[in-house]
Amino acid sequence: MKSGTIIKNNIARKNGGGVVIENTSTGNSNNFTMEGGFISGNQAVKNGGGIYNKSTLNLKGGTIGKTSTDEDWNKATDDSGKGGAIYQEGTCTMEGDIYVPFGYKERINDVYVMSPIKLTGALTKGSPSSPVMTLCRNYSYDWTTYNTGLSQDTDKSFIQTYYKNFGLIQRGNKDLYEITLDSNYVGKIKKSTTYIEISGTEFTGSSTLTRGGDYSQVFIAGRSINIPDLYVGKYELTQGEYEKYCSYGKAGTQHGPPASNFDTTENPSNYPAYGINWYDMFVYCNLRSMAEGLDPVYSFEGGETDPRKWPDVVKTGATGQEKYRGLAGQNDDWDKITMDKTKNGWRLPTEAEWEYIAANKNTSDTLYPGTNDLGTNGTYGWITTGDDTLDKPRQCGKCTNGVNGIMDLAGNVFEMCWDWYTTIDTGTSEDGGDIGDAVSKDGIKCKVVRGGGFTYGATAATVIRPIQNAISGSPVYNRITDRWNNCGARLVRTKVTP
């Protein structure tokens, strides 16, 4: 297929709306090479809206996907269909200036990979707005090739910018993979070390669970809770991650820790994001999900999931460099934002999910995440003690130990949860109590925070609900609008089987 060729608007009742590549009846390979042209607007009821490959496919140039506003995406239309752009189950190589823009959800110009796609071309041309080889932005449900083979480019800064545009890719219903650069700026695909997969469970409420001798206020007798399979942030949300899509609304919030005497040789992007509230996080999570081709989980009243269209959302930055954030003041409509955790987008954990993660999937009876003794700072967490008063958070992931590879669950910054702060009983939903039952401070409803922060001691860093100190026993929670220096977030995603 040469430049100028167009395969467009075809419909197949089964497989391969645009192109079908299968072995001959005698078992010999058929070869299809695409060196240019366009494959767009094609549909297959089952698999491979654009290309259905069970033989040999060579992709060297051209575009597979929507190329203008008056065209449509390649699609696999049936709910059981796979691969809107490409269904790959044969031999496939990808090189040169091939462009496969991702659609916006499963079966819409996505790539379903049953056997490896070998990427062999060097990244020597293109731009972030019209990149070379954008395959990795697509859903890839069974990706098995790890080394992209993209060679070093003379413009290293361009390669760095280019790879930052990639999201995570998913292999089947199993693992997350991520794009990385080695010291020679060679791109590789590897299993993600940024997010940890945690299997879920059903808690039937036969008895109240204990944590280091104290009773859980969440996993109580008589309450039923379903914890889905999750991808959990290995680290707390970093400033670098947050600033990619959102701006800060807290006066004085800066890039780096809140104290001015931090080590300037450290990378401030790796510090936890702080000075953010729940409204900010709803905006961030949905913007990031949309950018990565995931289904946003938070909806404004009426079902709108694009935060840029939410009433009164705050927009900052020049045209083409816009960033967004939530409101500073309380708003009844923003309080009514809903969450659909059956979707695969990024979100805050529920309180039950957070405690389940911190308690090693409910197999641990320790008082703190992973231990009954936090030891010295940096061993299991970052907290203030009588001998060690902290005036700032630490870079994410600097602790020696974690729980299932998940770091900084104790201290550093408090981690927001989805739930309103209410008293929990057997009838409380697994996603928390109703807003009408939530604790109020100064007339503003409060949400759950977990894990403790650097300005608090060990009593706030427990697996169970935190308290300010052992003498007062006062609970810790934040108003939905609070933007404190000691509070951030850790993201999760529901693992949705395609």
Side-chain angles (χ1 to χ4, degrees):
M1 180 173 173
K2 301 292 186 179
S3 177
T5 305
I6 300 175
I7 300 176
K8 180 178 177 181
N9 296 339
N10 298 289
I11 299 176
R13 294 181 179 179
K14 191 175 181 181
N15 300 319
V19 178
V20 176
I21 315 156
E22 294 182 306
N23 290 338
T24 66
S25 58
T26 57
N28 293 324
S29 173
N30 272 321
N31 185 305
F32 180 83
T33 298
M34 182 176 179
E35 296 179 348
F38 301 93
I39 299 177
S40 63
N42 301 288
Q43 297 183 30
V45 172
K46 295 297 290 184
N47 304 320
I51 297 177
Y52 178 81
N53 178 44
K54 295 192 73 173
S55 190
T56 302
L57 172 63
N58 303 304
L59 299 172
K60 297 183 177 181
T63 297
I64 303 171
K66 186 174 181 178
T67 58
S68 66
T69 56
D70 61 347
E71 294 180 354
D72 202 357
W73 295 106
N74 297 296
K75 301 175 183 177
T77 58
D78 191 81
D79 287 345
S80 63
K82 300 176 178 67
I86 303 171
Y87 178 89
Q88 159 57 17
E89 197 176 346
T91 299
C92 182
T93 59
M94 194 174 188
E95 60 182 299
D97 192 7
I98 181 72
Y99 183 36
V100 188
F102 76 103
Y104 55 92
K105 63 180 180 179
E106 182 183 345
R107 303 193 309 278
I108 307 296
N109 220 73
D110 64 319
V111 179
Y112 192 95
V113 184
M114 292 293 291
S115 58
I117 291 180
K118 185 178 181 181
L119 305 184
T120 60
L123 186 62
T124 57
K125 56 183 175 179
S127 67
S129 61
S130 180
V132 179
M133 290 195 239
T134 61
L135 176 69
C136 301
R137 279 293 300 270
N138 288 270
Y139 294 82
S140 296
Y141 294 123
D142 197 14
W143 194 281
T144 52
T145 299
Y146 295 82
N147 188 340
T148 69
L150 297 180
S151 63
Q152 181 174 337
D153 190 272
T154 54
D155 185 358
K156 294 180 180 180
S157 63
F158 166 71
I159 296 182
Q160 290 175 303
T161 301
Y162 175 73
Y163 274 96
K164 286 179 181 178
N165 289 335
F166 286 140
L168 297 169
I169 57 177
Q170 183 171 336
R171 178 175 181 261
N173 61 350
K174 301 175 183 178
D175 303 316
L176 281 179
Y177 288 76
E178 62 187 4
I179 301 294
T180 62
L181 293 174
D182 66 17
S183 58
N184 293 318
Y185 293 88
V186 176
K188 295 181 183 296
I189 300 172
K190 70 172 186 178
K191 187 173 181 179
S192 174
T193 57
T194 308
Y195 293 90
I196 306 296
E197 183 179 340
I198 297 294
S199 58
T201 190
E202 290 188 9
F203 173 75
T204 58
S206 58
S207 61
T208 299
L209 301 183
T210 57
R211 315 293 191 198
D214 292 329
Y215 285 104
S216 170
Q217 301 105 312
V218 173
F219 290 90
I220 61 174
R223 186 186 185 198
S224 296
I225 301 173
N226 177 60
I227 304 292
D229 293 344
L230 295 168
Y231 294 114
V232 180
K234 180 172 183 176
Y235 310 112
E236 291 162 331
L237 177 70
T238 67
Q239 294 180 21
E241 290 171 324
Y242 179 81
E243 292 166 10
K244 185 173 181 179
Y245 305 105
C246 290
S247 58
Y248 296 107
K250 177 180 171 63
T253 299
Q254 58 185 1
H255 192 72
S260 60
N261 60 338
F262 70 100
D263 184 352
T264 56
T265 64
E266 297 177 344
N267 182 0
S269 294
N270 292 335
Y271 279 88
Y274 65 89
I276 52 180
N277 64 25
W278 275 261
Y279 296 159
D280 298 327
M281 286 310 302
F282 299 157
V283 171
Y284 172 81
C285 288
N286 275 20
L287 286 177
R288 177 171 173 179
S289 295
M290 291 163 56
E292 295 182 3
L294 303 172
D295 292 326
V297 303
Y298 297 116
S299 298
F300 210 82
E301 193 170 19
E304 181 59 65
T305 59
D306 186 344
R308 297 169 297 184
K309 300 178 182 178
W310 290 351
D312 302 316
V313 67
V314 179
K315 181 172 74 171
T316 62
T319 301
Q321 300 177 334
E322 297 92 341
K323 294 185 180 181
Y324 298 83
R325 65 172 181 263
L327 306 183
Q330 186 272 335
N331 182 284
D332 289 344
D333 290 332
W334 281 66
D335 285 355
K336 295 175 184 175
I337 286 174
T338 59
M339 173 188 69
D340 183 356
K341 67 181 184 184
T342 65
K343 295 182 177 180
N344 65 357
W346 297 110
R347 60 180 175 85
L348 299 173
T350 65
E351 184 178 22
E353 288 169 345
W354 191 96
E355 186 169 313
Y356 177 76
I357 293 163
N360 192 11
K361 300 187 289 187
N362 277 352
T363 63
S364 172
D365 187 30
T366 58
L367 180 60
Y368 309 105
T371 184
N372 280 315
D373 182 2
L374 289 175
T376 58
N377 267 320
T379 304
Y380 282 92
W382 299 104
I383 61 169
T384 287
T385 67
D387 298 325
D388 194 357
T389 300
L390 300 184
D391 58 357
K392 64 191 178 195
R394 299 301 193 265
Q395 288 195 82
C396 295
K398 290 296 184 179
C399 282
T400 308
N401 300 288
V403 178
N404 279 316
I406 300 170
M407 312 304 290
D408 304 325
L409 283 162
N412 213 25
V413 291
F414 279 100
E415 298 175 9
M416 303 180 201
C417 294
W418 161 254
D419 310 43
W420 295 105
Y421 193 96
T422 67
T423 300
I424 294 175
D425 57 32
T426 56
T428 303
S429 162
E430 64 186 36
D431 297 335
D434 297 330
I435 185 173
D437 299 323
V439 171
S440 293
K441 288 171 64 177
D442 303 321
I444 300 175
K445 295 295 186 175
C446 297
K447 290 269 194 178
V448 171
V449 293
R450 286 302 203 104
F454 66 92
T455 59
Y456 279 71
T459 59
T462 53
V463 174
I464 61 172
R465 279 187 164 181
I467 58 174
Q468 293 182 14
N469 56 66
I471 297 175
S472 72
S474 299
V476 180
Y477 41 74
N478 283 353
R479 292 167 296 190
I480 192 170
T481 55
D482 281 338
R483 288 169 169 156
W484 301 120
N485 284 347
N486 65 357
C487 187
R490 184 185 304 271
L491 300 189
V492 302
R493 270 184 59 199
T494 301
K495 182 180 175 182
V496 178
T497 302

